[in-house]
Amino acid sequence: ALPEPENSVEALSELSKAHSDNVRIFVELGRALLDSGDAKHAESALKSALRLDEESLTARVLMGDVYAANGKFTRARKEYATALEIDSAYVPAHLRIALAWHRGGKTDEALKQLNTLLGPDNLPRLVAGHWLVASILAETGDYQGAIEALDRVLAIKKDDPRTLMAKGHLLLKQEKPMLAVAIYTKVTELMPRSPEPVFCLGWAHEKSADSPEVKGKEEERTKRLKMAADAYEKCAEMDPGVRPRDSLGFVSLLAGMHVEAVTQFRRATDIDPKFAAARNNLGLADDLADNRANAKKRYEEVLKRIDKKNVRAHVMLALDLWIDGSANKAIKELERALKIDPDDDLAWTFVGDIHYDNRKTDQAIKAYKKATEINGRNFTAWYHMGIAYDDAKRKDEEADRCYRKALEAKADPPNEMILRLAILNDDTALNRLDEALKFYQLYRDLGGTEEWVPARIEELKEQLAGDG
């Protein structure tokens, strides 16, 4: 028998010295070293295995994994291809070579490889293949394609909890929380003792409270937040960890239950005093209670005592500094956040807001652009960039484009933005009266109250009818 995993590297190293002609020992030593993150010595062990048996399929695939771990995807594919020359039916090599294509930036080639493997004449019921397709498509942002791949897994493995959980996560990515609720509810029935699906059910209920169909229906929103709180509470009973308590506090805050929220955040910090998210949320609770001085102390405490690289604390501290009139200090705090994580789109959005507030429109637009490049569904960045362009001369087309991007990012945008779009298209610079009419009508249908809009709608109807 081979050694237990926790002692495998040391024990296998000793075995390899005593049995230098044993291929399997070198293969398993290479695997253990790779799993421990030591790709350099893993490569050495696997080369020893291949010197003993150059047709060892496992050694070839693991050698490919070593190269892939180092970002050498071309060399990785060569190793996988060599394995397939030895045995064209060796499934691990097929899957790995597809993944190497994807990791190397050739996603189309990866999907082509997998489609061939999963075709009706090959292995259409290969669950691992469909899972890999789903993973690749999810990484590229094709959530619907990923869900369809997971549905193929579910056609093979009916009600598989792991697959259902993944599908629920993708539905939330698609901003379809009610469908995710149904999925997670089913998983809680399949796995009644597992806290994870219960937590995810709370998460889906929480997201559903902000869904477009709930907009303006405060009673329905409260109901959904209550269901989220119930799920988090149940999860906290099953899992005494910090995460469900923190989430229960956050959903209580969303429901306007400030005292209950603070109680839960404090319980979370009692469980784990170094859980930065709960301390940041205590700061958020202070912010919402208009106690920014205390909120700033909490964010500073996180940065000084718990995690000096906590991006969220830097960003929230910056926001409070800005509101209190310290724009330069706020920018410096955001710069610290972006030095830690250059891809934090919220930080870039606030940078844009501060520059816009200081009438530095060009710098604001540059920051908003960066935010939207990182996250194409950042509603606030698109909306505020539209306002910045709207204020700039001869930038109507850009403003219109940004507002429309914002509209794509959020199904229930504020009425003010819809009115801006209508006026922009009604203006002589753009003069798209049919589009203006559409947005004026949408503004009215969403409850817009500007008294002059109904009359303008009728004028546009008459003008467009006359032009026709």
Side-chain angles (χ1 to χ4, degrees), residues 112-126 130:
K112 179 181 176 182
Q113 179 97 13
L114 288 168
N115 287 336
T116 300
L117 179 65
L118 298 169
D121 297 328
N122 289 314
L123 299 170
R125 294 180 63 81
L126 181 64
H130 292 296

Side-chain angles (χ1 to χ4, degrees), residues 131-147:
W131 255 102
L132 184 53
V133 171
S135 299
I136 290 173
L137 291 175
E139 285 184 15
T140 63
D142 183 359
Y143 301 129
Q144 185 56 41
I147 286 172

Side-chain angles (χ1 to χ4, degrees), residues 179-240:
L179 293 178
V181 163
I183 292 286
Y184 293 133
T185 300
K186 187 170 189 176
V187 182
T188 61
E189 295 167 357
L190 295 168
M191 304 172 65
R193 296 183 180 180
S194 174
E196 186 63 22
V198 180
F199 180 86
C200 290
L201 179 59
W203 184 27
H205 280 309
E206 179 185 328
K207 293 291 185 184
S208 75
D210 291 326
S211 58
E213 57 264 36
V214 179
K215 184 182 180 183
K217 301 176 182 177
E218 194 56 36
E219 185 176 338
E220 180 64 20
R221 181 176 182 273
T222 301
K223 175 184 173 183
R224 296 190 187 199
L225 290 174
K226 175 66 167 57
M227 288 190 289
D230 289 345
Y232 288 140
E233 184 69 63
K234 182 179 178 181
C235 183
E237 293 169 0
M238 302 170 74
D239 173 12

Side-chain angles (χ1 to χ4, degrees), residues 54-340:
E54 64 179 12
E55 293 194 351
S56 170
L57 293 171
T58 307
R60 285 289 174 196
V61 165
L62 288 172
M63 185 64 83
D65 292 350
V66 167
Y67 292 134
N70 289 325
K72 299 175 180 178
F73 300 110
T74 300
R75 292 188 69 181
R77 290 197 303 270
K78 286 180 180 178
E79 292 294 339
Y80 302 140
T82 300
L84 291 173
E85 289 172 6
I86 298 166
D87 182 356
S88 61
Y90 192 55
V91 170
H94 279 289
L95 297 176
R96 298 295 215 295
I97 201 169
L99 186 57
W101 278 117
H102 172 59
R103 292 281 182 263
K106 300 291 183 67
T107 298
D108 289 344
E109 196 64 37
L111 294 173
K112 179 181 176 182
Q113 179 97 13
L114 288 168
N115 287 336
T116 300
L117 179 65
L118 298 169
D121 297 328
N122 289 314
L123 299 170
R125 294 180 63 81
L126 181 64
V127 166
H130 292 296
W131 255 102
L132 184 53
V133 171
S135 299
I136 290 173
L137 291 175
E139 285 184 15
T140 63
D142 183 359
Y143 301 129
Q144 185 56 41
I147 286 172
E148 290 169 5
L150 291 178
D151 283 338
R152 291 192 288 274
V153 174
L154 290 169
I156 300 165
K157 298 177 67 177
K158 181 176 171 58
D159 291 344
D160 177 63
R162 176 172 170 251
T163 308
L164 287 169
M165 288 287 286
K167 183 176 179 179
H169 295 345
L170 290 171
L171 287 168
L172 287 179
K173 290 278 191 183
Q174 285 189 312
E175 299 181 4
K176 297 177 179 179
M178 290 311 298
L179 293 178
V181 163
I183 292 286
Y184 293 133
T185 300
K186 187 170 189 176
V187 182
T188 61
E189 295 167 357
L190 295 168
M191 304 172 65
R193 296 183 180 180
S194 174
E196 186 63 22
V198 180
F199 180 86
C200 290
L201 179 59
W203 184 27
H205 280 309
E206 179 185 328
K207 293 291 185 184
S208 75
D210 291 326
S211 58
E213 57 264 36
V214 179
K215 184 182 180 183
K217 301 176 182 177
E218 194 56 36
E219 185 176 338
E220 180 64 20
R221 181 176 182 273
T222 301
K223 175 184 173 183
R224 296 190 187 199
L225 290 174
K226 175 66 167 57
M227 288 190 289
D230 289 345
Y232 288 140
E233 184 69 63
K234 182 179 178 181
C235 183
E237 293 169 0
M238 302 170 74
D239 173 12
V242 64
R243 190 174 62 147
R245 284 291 167 199
D246 182 54
S247 295
L248 180 54
F250 189 73
V251 81
S252 299
L253 203 59
L254 290 176
M257 300 165 61
H258 191 272
V259 173
E260 175 65 14
V262 171
T263 297
Q264 296 302 333
F265 293 143
R266 285 178 175 163
R267 286 184 182 179
T269 57
D270 286 342
I271 295 168
D272 183 355
K274 292 187 176 182
F275 188 66
R279 293 198 177 275
N280 282 336
N281 281 333
L282 279 169
L284 177 60
D286 285 327
D287 277 328
L288 292 175
D290 204 24
N291 187 357
R292 285 192 298 280
N294 206 43
K296 286 188 284 189
K297 287 179 183 178
R298 294 192 190 279
Y299 303 136
E300 288 167 350
E301 182 182 44
V302 169
L303 295 169
K304 290 177 182 178
R305 299 184 182 179
I306 299 174
D307 179 10
K308 65 181 180 180
K309 293 186 176 182
N310 189 284
V311 172
R312 194 54 56 235
H314 280 296
V315 171
M316 295 306 293
L317 177 57
L319 181 60
D320 280 345
L321 288 167
W322 174 37
I323 293 171
D324 284 342
S326 300
N328 290 335
K329 289 182 179 179
I331 287 288
K332 288 179 180 178
E333 206 63 48
L334 290 168
E335 287 173 349
R336 292 187 186 104
L338 290 167
K339 187 175 181 180
I340 299 164

